[in-house]
């Protein structure tokens, strides 16, 4: 029955409308109208009565009609636009390109590379004295790589209210946080390795030159020595650049962007990139029924009319004219006039349903009875309706008041059968006469008619009316009295068939470890029947099906407050929540998210289409709005919009989310293998031969292969059904599993063995000149070119191995389903041929012959064979392997971060800030220890002068001379433990924790504080030596 306005709407005849159209100018200002919109209920009505006498007066002031709205006068519309503004929601201001660039420049890995680039660029311009300015700078290549711009997330620039709370917060991107933490750790290790490389090279050169060879530093040799030191430094920078995994953020962005584009074809319009990743970890889905699990094409299939239960549409001749006439008027008039049944667009097709689907089913029922609703509406147009009580989720009914020709009024009502039947005191008999309808008659109808319909999955709607005799008009504002003492016309059963693909989609969700819950406004029997058809309820399963009232009764205490402990006893077994309101949905979603009874926090996805679903969609980890039936407010509050309103599209979103995680893991496995091998080769080769076997430009090409190209190749793998055969990874799942660690180390051993064999015996194997210990500006050698070529080809074939991260043997499965992967591998191989054969001195390459190329290819293909050998080793036998890339734990999130203004936790930013916090903590503790030493030294000396003060330890601690008034804290306390200790004496004790930490449970704010005067004289004040000693300890 739709999302119509909740308040009653008055309608007026055409004569009054003509008076309005001839009224004067606009008599309401924009602030006045805005003030009206901020009021609700009786307060708003009182405001209208005080300022405009009634709604009619307001309409006259605005020069409009309450039934037909504004006229089509272009000049009048333009005038209104100038006064009141345009009638549309303004788009949010997107971030500028420079803002996006600045955000991208904050990435920690990029900062490291920027520093390396500046140093390398500066050194490349260095020309030693006596050398030509056109000095060769091939080793001074600028190692500058740009990171992807962060998504503006739909241009979201909201002004958030500042609030400090310890409630659980939505994490911005769990995967991004894990990657940032891992990248920082690897970057630190690379920085240490690069520093050690430079130190070893410098010491080796100095010892060899000035100690063993006995040379003396001559002034004329200084430019040569400086050149060597510059070369060593550039080698160190090269090791650092290779070690820093700057491709990780790039891989995430590419994978998410690619997934978002492909998800659009699967009817998922992603509004926030993070939602795609989060959906892969979803553990619960709270879904609507109508339109999501069902087709949203409703049809009346059963009816109770004139004391008879019809299992199919009755013949018109079997019903009395009075019943038929009342039924036609009750349906035609008491429905939105915008709801219609139109002819099919194609011959042989079904009639088109326009408007509210439930009302369309009732109108279709009239057409099946060979009755037309349109003549009734033409005879009684919408402006002649006297009053309308529109449908809302509270009353679950709709009523319309019409004036009778002979005087008096008639009220038509329709709504939920079990609710409206309680307001009926009469019912139409088979002859069309009124018959008393007692409570036991109602109970019998519920048992024999309504419950059987509901058990078959039918939505039951009651149609009723009431006549008011001519005379004094009743109080139309008292809806409860108006919609009472009704006469039941009929009870109909409306079927909304389950979408044929939904049961299979729900089965996939259950296999994937995702619990599906139905939250609907339908009767509990109807909801239970639909849930059974969908597969949400399984035979023999221990589950709960509750109505909204029972749900609230169980989760609230005597004060009406929601308790998380009570909610935790309900939601794990809850599968169906019937007769629920949008508030109930929000309560359920918030309760599941805030629950701590499991090992990991639940990740909840929610579907919604109405305006009132906005809070639940916002609260959920991933909010799905209906693209067809959804309101603009619901879409704005959502993360993903289902363009087909189909539940099976949510399952595809789960597949894409899990595929993002696996794609990043594939890329991580490949890149870390390259990182380990490249760093070890550069470090070992430089320390032994005083030169890196892989030159700076070659390293940059390798970096390009393993960053940009590998990101595109491995992050664009399409999802498969096998992704739904495992449980959600969870937020604390490490990025690098033990199987991946086995692959990384295993392939690293193979590649290092090959590279070192070629480095120290390559000239013998291929009968060529050695490239080791070459002069400073020696031409490229075949020896080092073979090493470089073999290294690159091993990475290409290892990229094929990296497509599988769970120990699968067939690494070629589905490879041709990803044309991007094939194109990148073949394209990289082609470019490698060009670099080796024609790169020359800029790439430090010497052309190779066919035999040398075949040997390089043979070693590269050996990666595939070696991968099969690694797969045969059971991971369970390798107990020494450890996982890596864990997400930030709960203990790593400090109270300061949880109390920040931001509503979301940015793991990347927190990782950067942690280093600063540790630095200041160390500085603070050193200063504290210094103060302790000074305090005891001062107290000792002063104590010697005043021996009376040492009569007892208590006197010693309370003597004013020994208070550290001169040694108060002069810097901010970064350590949260220091803050707590220093403030402990000043703040009142906190109240005992209350279990009411969910939803509307509010602390009273009344605390019991102890008297300051009762403090023990022996207590350590915040400025006492004992306190300082305790702090340092």
């Amino acid at each position: 029955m739709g999302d119509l306005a909740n308040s009653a709407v008055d309608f007026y005849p055409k004569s009054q409308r003509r008076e309005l159209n001839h009224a004067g100018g606009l008599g309401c200002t924009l602030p006045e109208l805005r003030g009206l919109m901020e009021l609700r209920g009786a307060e708003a009505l009182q405001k209208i009565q005080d300022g405009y006498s009634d709604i009619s007066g307001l309409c006259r002031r605005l020069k409009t009609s309450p039934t037909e709205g504004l006229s089509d006068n272009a000049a009048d519309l333009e005038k209104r636009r100038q006064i009141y503004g345009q009638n549309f929601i303004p788009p949010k201001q997107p971030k500028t390109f420079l803002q996006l660039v600045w955000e991208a420049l904050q990435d920690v890995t990029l900062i490291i590379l920027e520093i390396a680039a500046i140093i390398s660029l500066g050194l490349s311009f260095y020309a030693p004295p006596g050398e030509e300015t056109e000095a060769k700078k091939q080793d001074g290549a600028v190692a500058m790589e740009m990171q992807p711009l962060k998504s503006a997330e739909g241009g979201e620039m909201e002004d958030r209210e500042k609030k400090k709370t310890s409630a659980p917060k939505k994490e911005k991107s769990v995967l991004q946080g894990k990657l940032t933490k891992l990248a920082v750790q690897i970057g630190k290790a690379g920085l240490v390795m690069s520093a050690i490389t430079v130190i070893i090279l410098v010491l080796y050169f100095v010892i060899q030159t000035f100690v063993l060879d006995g040379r003396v530093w001559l002034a004329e040799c200084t430019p040569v020595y400086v050149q060597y030191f510059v070369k060593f430094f550039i080698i160190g920078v090269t090791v650092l650049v290779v070690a820093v995994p700057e491709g990780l953020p790039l891989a995430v962005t590419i994978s998410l962007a690619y997934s978002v584009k492909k998800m659009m074809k699967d009817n998922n319009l992603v509004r926030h990139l993070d939602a795609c990743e989060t959906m892969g970890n979803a553990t619960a889905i709270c879904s609507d029924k109508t339109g999501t699990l069902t087709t949203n094409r409703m049809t009346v299939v059963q009816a109770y009319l004139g004391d008879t239960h019809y299992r199919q549409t009755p013949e018109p001749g079997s019903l009395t004219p009075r019943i038929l006439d009342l039924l036609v008027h009750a349906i035609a008039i008491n429905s939105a006039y915008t709801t219609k049944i139109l002819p099919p667009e194609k011959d042989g097709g079904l009639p088109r349903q326009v408007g509210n689907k439930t009302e369309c089913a009732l109108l279709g029922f009239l057409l099946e009875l060979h009755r037309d609703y349109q003549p009734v509406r033409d005879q009684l147009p919408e402006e002649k309706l006297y009053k309308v009580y529109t449908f809302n989720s509270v009353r679950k009914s709709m009523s319309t008041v019409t004036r009778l020709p002979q005087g008096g009024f008639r009220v038509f009502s329709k709504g939920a059968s079990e609710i409206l039947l309680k307001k009926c005191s009469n019912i139409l008999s088979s002859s069309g006469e009124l018959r008393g309808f007692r409570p036991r008659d109602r109970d019998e109808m519920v048992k024999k008619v309504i419950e059987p319909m509901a058990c078959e999955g039918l939505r039951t709607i009651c149609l009723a009316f009431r006549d008011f005799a001519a005379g004094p008009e009743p109080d139309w504002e008292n809806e409860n009295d108006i919609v009472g003492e009704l006469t039941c016309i009929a009870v109909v059963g409306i079927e909304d068939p389950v979408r044929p693909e939904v049961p299979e989609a729900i089965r996939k969700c259950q296999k994937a470890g995702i619990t599906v819950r139905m939250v609907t406004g339908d009767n509990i029997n109807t909801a239970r029947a639909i849930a059974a058809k969908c597969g949400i309820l399984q035979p023999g399963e221990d589950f709960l099906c509750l109505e909204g009232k029972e749900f609230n009764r169980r989760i609230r205490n005597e004060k009406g407050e929601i308790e998380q402990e009570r909610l935790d006893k309900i939601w794990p077994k809850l599968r169906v929540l019937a007769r629920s309101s949008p508030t109930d949905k929000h309560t359920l979603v918030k309760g599941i998210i805030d629950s701590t009874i499991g090992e990991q926090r639940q990740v909840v996805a929610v579907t919604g289409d109405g305006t009132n679903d906005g809070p639940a969609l916002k609260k959920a980890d991933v909010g799905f709005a209906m693209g067809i039936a959804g309101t603009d407010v619901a879409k704005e509050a959502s993360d993903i919009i289902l363009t087909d309103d189909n539940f099976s599209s949510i399952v595809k979103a789960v597949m894409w989310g899990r595929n993002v995680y696996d794609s990043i893991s594939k890329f991580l496995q490949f890149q870390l293998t390259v990182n380990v091998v490249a760093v070890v080769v550069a470090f070992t080769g430089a320390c032994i031969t005083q030169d890196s076997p892989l030159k700076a430009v070659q390293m940059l090409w390798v970096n390009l292969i393993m960053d940009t190209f590998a990101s595109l190749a491995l992050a664009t793998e399409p999802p498969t059904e096998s992704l739904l055969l495992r449980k959600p990874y969870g937020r604390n799942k490490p990025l690098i599993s033990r199987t991946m660690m086995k692959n990384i180390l295993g392939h690293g051993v193979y590649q290092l063995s090959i590279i070192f064999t070629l480095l120290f015996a390559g000239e013998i194997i291929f009968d060529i000149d050695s490239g080791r210990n070459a002069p400073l500006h020696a031409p490229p050698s075949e020896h080092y070119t073979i090493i470089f070529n073999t290294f690159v080809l091993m990475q290409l074939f290892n990229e094929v191995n990296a497509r599988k991260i769970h120990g699968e043997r067939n690494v070629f499965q589905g490879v041709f389903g990803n044309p991007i992967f094939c194109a990148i591998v073949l394209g990289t191989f082609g470019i490698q041929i060009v670099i080796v054969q024609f790169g020359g001195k800029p790439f430090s390459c010497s052309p190779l012959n066919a035999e040398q190329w075949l040997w390089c290819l043979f070693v590269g293909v050996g990666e595939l064979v070696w991968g099969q050998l690694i797969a045969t080793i059971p991971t369970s036998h390798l107990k020494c392997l450890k996982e890596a890339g864990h997400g930030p734990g709960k203990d790593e999130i400090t109270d300061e971060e949880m109390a920040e203004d931001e509503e979301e936790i940015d793991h990347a930013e927190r990782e950067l800030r942690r280093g600063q916090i540790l630095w200041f903590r160390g500085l603070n503790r050193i200063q504290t220890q210094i103060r302790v030493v000074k305090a005891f030294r001062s107290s000792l000396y002063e104590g010697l002068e005043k021996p009376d003060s040492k009569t007892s330890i208590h006197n010693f601690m309370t003597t004013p001379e020994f208070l550290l008034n001169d040694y108060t804290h002069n810097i901010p306390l970064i350590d949260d433990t220091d803050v707590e200790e220093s403030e402990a004496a000043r703040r009142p004790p906190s109240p005992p924790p209350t279990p009411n930490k969910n939803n509307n449970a509010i602390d009273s704010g009344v605390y019991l504080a102890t008297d300051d005067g009762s403090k023990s004289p022996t207590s350590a004040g915040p400025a006492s030596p004992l306190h300082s000693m305790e702090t340092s300890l």
Side-chain angles (χ1 to χ4, degrees):
M1 276 172 273
D3 277 314
L4 303 177
N6 294 342
S7 59
V9 179
D10 289 335
F11 292 86
Y12 298 91
K14 285 184 177 178
S15 59
Q16 193 172 23
R17 186 175 73 255
R18 286 194 297 268
E19 179 186 351
L20 295 176
N21 291 336
H22 291 287
L26 303 178
C28 290
T29 63
L30 185 60
E32 290 177 357
L33 294 178
R34 185 181 292 118
L36 279 177
M37 291 300 296
E38 293 173 354
L39 301 177
R40 294 291 184 273
E43 189 178 2
L45 292 175
Q46 185 63 39
K47 177 72 173 179
I48 292 175
Q49 292 175 1
D50 294 343
Y52 313 100
S53 71
D54 56 12
I55 293 179
S56 176
L58 176 60
C59 291
R60 282 194 296 270
R61 294 273 292 272
L62 291 173
K63 198 178 178 182
T64 184
S65 165
T67 57
E68 296 186 0
L70 301 177
S71 64
D72 294 334
N73 190 326
D76 179 64
L77 295 176
E78 182 59 30
K79 176 183 176 183
R80 293 175 185 275
R81 289 192 189 97
Q82 295 176 1
I83 296 176
Y84 299 117
Q86 298 184 10
N87 186 22
F88 79 106
I89 300 176
K92 292 181 179 178
Q93 183 73 22
K95 293 182 180 179
T96 64
F97 179 77
L98 292 179
Q99 287 176 317
L100 296 176
V101 171
W102 177 250
E103 288 184 2
L105 290 174
Q106 308 306 309
D107 187 83
V108 60
T109 54
L110 187 56
I111 292 174
I112 296 174
L113 291 176
E114 288 166 358
I115 296 173
I118 293 172
I119 295 174
S120 180
L121 183 63
L123 292 175
S124 68
F125 288 107
Y126 171 74
E131 294 287 331
E132 295 182 1
T133 56
E134 292 85 6
K136 308 202 169 135
K137 309 180 184 77
Q138 70 265 21
D139 285 338
V142 179
M144 189 69 178
E145 299 188 19
M146 291 301 295
Q147 292 294 332
L149 300 180
K150 296 180 180 179
S151 166
E153 295 187 349
E156 184 172 355
M157 296 183 65
E158 299 178 306
D159 292 331
R160 297 174 179 172
E161 294 183 0
K162 291 186 177 181
K163 52 184 180 180
K164 292 188 177 182
T165 175
S166 59
K169 298 186 179 183
K170 227 181 190 179
E171 298 177 0
K172 284 186 179 178
S173 175
V174 178
L175 183 58
Q176 193 76 45
K178 293 179 182 179
L179 286 173
T180 302
K181 183 177 180 181
L182 183 63
V184 170
Q185 293 171 347
I186 296 175
K188 292 176 181 177
L191 187 61
V192 173
M193 289 288 290
S194 65
I196 294 175
T197 302
V198 174
I199 293 172
I200 291 178
L201 287 173
V202 172
L203 290 177
Y204 187 92
F205 175 78
V206 171
I207 294 173
Q208 180 68 34
T209 304
F210 300 110
V211 178
L212 299 181
D213 294 346
R215 295 180 182 177
V216 180
W217 186 296
L218 300 176
E220 57 268 21
C221 295
T222 299
V224 178
Y225 297 150
V226 171
Q227 279 189 317
Y228 273 104
F229 291 145
V230 170
K231 176 184 176 182
F232 298 154
F233 192 82
I234 290 179
I235 292 174
V237 172
T238 303
V239 172
L240 174 61
V241 170
V242 173
V244 173
E246 69 277 8
L248 294 184
L250 175 67
V252 175
T253 303
I254 289 179
S255 181
L256 287 175
Y258 175 80
S259 300
V260 165
K261 183 178 179 181
K262 292 296 184 181
M263 287 174 69
M264 187 61 192
K265 297 181 179 179
D266 287 337
N267 302 309
N268 284 271
L269 176 58
V270 180
R271 300 183 65 249
H272 300 138
L273 279 180
D274 295 342
C276 177
E277 167 210 331
T278 306
M279 198 59 208
N281 289 322
T283 58
I285 299 176
C286 296
S287 174
D288 288 339
K289 179 186 76 67
T290 304
T292 307
L293 301 176
T294 59
T295 61
N296 200 21
R297 185 176 180 86
M298 299 188 178
T299 308
V300 175
V301 293
Q302 294 186 29
Y304 183 85
L305 285 162
D307 295 335
T308 305
H309 186 181
Y310 296 93
R311 296 285 177 175
Q312 55 187 5
T313 304
E315 292 293 331
S318 62
L319 301 175
T320 61
R322 173 171 168 77
I323 293 179
L324 265 179
D325 182 70
L326 284 171
L327 184 65
V328 171
H329 281 76
I331 295 176
I333 295 174
N334 191 31
S335 299
Y337 277 37
T338 54
T339 302
K340 301 175 182 179
I341 302 293
L342 300 179
E345 294 181 347
K346 298 180 181 179
D347 294 338
L350 295 173
R352 288 180 293 156
Q353 295 183 344
V354 179
N356 185 273
K357 300 303 179 181
T358 302
E359 293 179 348
C360 284
L362 295 174
L363 295 177
F365 182 51
L366 294 183
L367 296 179
E368 291 183 0
L369 291 173
H370 307 298
R371 294 294 186 274
D372 191 1
Y373 61 88
Q374 194 57 46
V376 178
R377 291 182 171 180
D378 294 338
Q379 182 181 1
L380 188 65
E382 194 171 6
E383 58 267 22
K384 288 188 177 181
L385 300 179
Y386 193 79
K387 193 174 187 64
V388 173
Y389 301 96
T390 56
F391 177 86
N392 67 17
S393 57
V394 177
R395 65 169 72 96
K396 294 190 182 298
S397 65
M398 173 183 178
S399 301
T400 302
V401 182
T402 63
R403 191 186 294 272
L404 295 174
Q406 65 274 18
F409 301 92
R410 174 168 290 174
V411 178
F412 290 108
S413 293
K414 73 170 182 289
S417 57
E418 65 271 27
I419 294 177
L420 211 58
L421 281 178
K422 294 179 180 179
K423 300 180 179 181
C424 291
S425 58
N426 296 286
I427 190 172
L428 293 180
S429 64
S430 57
S431 60
E433 300 297 329
L434 272 63
R435 190 184 72 237
F437 191 66
R438 295 166 295 181
R440 65 181 183 184
D441 297 328
R442 182 181 66 247
D443 295 339
E444 185 178 0
M445 177 178 286
V446 169
K447 184 177 180 181
K448 294 184 178 180
V449 178
I450 295 176
E451 287 186 357
M453 286 184 180
C455 291
E456 296 180 27
L458 305 182
R459 172 184 290 183
T460 56
I461 300 293
C462 177
L463 302 170
F465 77 100
R466 178 184 181 182
D467 288 338
F468 288 89
E473 290 190 19
D475 182 8
W476 298 113
E477 301 303 324
N478 192 343
E479 184 182 349
N480 289 330
D481 290 344
I482 299 299
V483 185
E485 302 294 326
L486 300 173
T487 299
C488 176
I489 302 173
V491 174
V492 297
I494 300 176
E495 181 183 43
D496 188 8
V498 174
R499 291 180 182 266
E501 64 274 14
V502 163
E504 177 63 17
I506 290 179
R507 187 187 64 80
K508 290 179 180 178
C509 284
Q510 293 168 343
K511 278 184 107 174
I514 302 173
T515 302
V516 181
R517 296 177 174 87
M518 177 196 293
V519 183
T520 178
D522 275 352
N523 177 288
I524 189 169
N525 292 323
T526 304
R528 185 186 288 113
I530 296 295
K533 291 181 180 179
C534 294
I536 295 176
L537 302 181
Q538 300 290 340
E541 185 184 21
D542 185 15
F543 58 81
L544 282 176
C545 295
L546 298 177
E547 286 188 336
K549 289 184 179 179
E550 177 65 15
F551 173 72
N552 279 279
R553 188 187 66 80
R554 293 194 182 193
I555 66 174
R556 296 180 185 270
N557 58 19
E558 296 79 7
K559 298 179 181 179
E561 299 170 339
I562 298 172
E563 293 185 358
Q564 186 65 44
E565 293 180 359
R566 293 172 178 251
L567 196 52
D568 287 341
K569 297 177 182 178
I570 300 295
W571 71 259
K573 293 184 179 181
L574 184 66
R575 293 296 180 270
V576 175
L577 184 59
R579 287 286 180 239
S580 64
S581 65
T583 304
D584 295 335
K585 180 189 286 190
H586 179 268
T587 300
L588 175 63
V589 172
K590 188 176 188 300
I592 296 176
I593 291 177
D594 292 351
S595 178
T596 57
I597 60 175
E599 295 181 0
Q600 296 183 357
R601 183 176 85 77
Q602 293 282 310
V603 180
V604 183
V606 173
T607 67
D609 55 5
T611 300
N612 293 337
D613 291 328
L617 292 172
K618 271 289 188 185
K619 180 61 184 175
D621 294 286
V622 182
F624 287 88
M626 303 296 110
I628 299 174
T631 62
D632 289 342
V633 174
K635 294 175 184 178
E636 188 68 23
S638 68
D639 300 297
I640 299 176
I641 297 176
L642 299 179
T643 57
D644 62 345
D645 292 12
N646 197 334
F647 182 85
S648 61
S649 298
I650 301 178
V651 181
K652 294 176 183 176
V654 174
M655 288 176 56
W656 277 107
R658 295 188 175 188
N659 187 65
V660 167
Y661 200 99
D662 278 11
S663 296
I664 300 304
S665 297
K666 294 172 186 177
F667 170 75
L668 198 57
Q669 175 178 297
F670 170 76
Q671 191 190 39
L672 291 185
T673 304
V674 183
N675 271 36
V676 169
V677 175
V679 171
V680 172
V681 168
F683 174 76
T684 308
C687 294
I688 296 177
T689 68
Q690 299 189 40
D691 192 11
S692 174
L694 300 175
K695 307 302 180 184
V697 178
Q698 296 174 351
M699 284 290 197
L700 292 178
W701 168 237
V702 171
N703 243 14
L704 190 62
I705 294 174
M706 71 180 187
D707 286 347
T708 308
F709 291 165
S711 296
L712 286 170
L714 295 173
T716 55
E717 289 278 338
T720 61
E721 293 285 341
S722 60
L723 292 169
L724 298 176
L725 299 179
R726 61 168 175 81
K727 305 297 181 184
Y729 277 142
R731 295 175 176 268
N732 300 326
K733 172 74 168 61
L735 281 171
I736 305 174
S737 64
R738 293 177 61 197
T739 301
M740 292 172 59
M741 188 68 74
K742 177 186 71 173
N743 294 337
I744 292 171
L745 297 179
H747 288 288
V749 169
Y750 174 82
Q751 294 183 18
L752 288 173
S753 302
I754 296 296
I755 294 297
F756 286 137
T757 300
L758 293 176
L759 177 61
F760 298 107
E763 71 274 19
I764 301 174
I765 297 174
F766 292 99
D767 192 20
I768 54 178
D769 294 334
S770 174
R772 298 190 304 274
N773 300 319
L776 190 61
H777 296 301
S781 65
E782 289 182 324
H783 183 194
Y784 276 19
T785 302
I786 291 175
I787 294 176
F788 165 61
N789 195 35
T790 303
F791 179 75
V792 171
L793 292 181
M794 284 193 296
Q795 307 316 320
L796 280 181
F797 286 99
N798 189 37
E799 195 168 348
V800 179
N801 283 326
R803 295 184 65 251
K804 304 297 178 183
I805 58 174
H806 300 297
E808 301 93 333
R809 286 192 173 274
N810 186 4
V811 295
F812 291 99
Q813 182 182 7
V815 68
F816 296 110
N818 186 6
I820 297 179
F821 181 89
C822 300
I824 287 176
V825 171
L826 295 177
T828 304
F829 182 66
I831 298 175
Q832 178 67 16
I833 295 175
V834 174
I835 290 176
V836 171
Q837 297 302 117
F838 307 102
K841 202 159 190 179
F843 284 91
S844 301
C845 289
S846 177
L848 303 179
N849 57 38
E851 181 183 358
Q852 293 167 340
W853 265 104
L854 288 176
W855 277 109
C856 293
L857 275 174
F858 174 77
V859 174
V861 174
E863 268 284 1
L864 300 177
V865 180
W866 186 258
Q868 296 300 310
L869 294 176
I870 295 176
T872 59
I873 304 175
T875 307
S876 57
H877 293 175
L878 302 176
K879 303 293 185 182
C880 58
L881 295 180
K882 302 296 182 182
E883 298 171 328
H886 291 269
K890 292 181 180 179
D891 54 341
E892 298 183 37
I893 303 178
T894 63
D895 294 337
E896 294 131 336
E897 291 164 351
M898 292 303 294
E900 285 179 350
D901 296 338
E902 296 184 359
E903 293 179 359
E904 297 179 337
I905 302 170
D906 191 340
H907 294 298
E909 184 178 348
R910 189 181 64 229
E911 188 63 38
L912 296 177
R913 205 165 50 226
R914 186 174 291 118
Q916 300 171 358
I917 292 176
L918 292 177
W919 168 260
F920 283 110
R921 279 182 179 176
L923 179 63
N924 179 55
R925 290 195 181 280
I926 291 174
Q927 293 189 358
T928 303
Q929 291 170 1
I930 293 174
R931 290 197 300 271
V932 171
V933 173
K934 289 183 178 180
F936 276 98
R937 182 181 300 170
S938 173
S939 63
L940 179 62
Y941 291 151
E942 294 186 12
L944 292 176
E945 297 175 1
K946 300 180 180 181
D948 295 339
S949 64
K950 299 169 59 176
T951 54
S952 75
I953 185 66
H954 301 290
N955 292 334
F956 175 83
M957 296 304 299
T958 56
T959 301
E961 288 82 0
F962 299 110
L963 295 179
L964 295 182
N965 295 328
D966 297 331
Y967 299 99
T968 56
H969 295 291
N970 294 323
I971 61 173
L973 292 179
I974 304 299
D975 192 345
D976 50 1
T977 59
D978 295 339
V979 175
E980 292 174 359
E981 293 170 1
S982 64
E983 292 181 353
R986 295 196 300 268
R987 66 188 179 195
S990 59
T994 173
N996 305 334
K997 294 183 178 179
N998 184 37
N999 298 305
N1000 59 353
I1002 302 173
D1003 293 332
S1004 63
V1006 180
Y1007 306 131
L1008 297 177
T1010 58
D1011 188 3
D1012 294 338
S1014 64
K1015 186 186 298 184
S1016 171
T1018 64
S1019 61
S1024 66
L1026 181 60
H1027 172 77
S1028 299
M1029 182 176 67
E1030 290 173 347
T1031 303
S1032 66
L1033 293 177

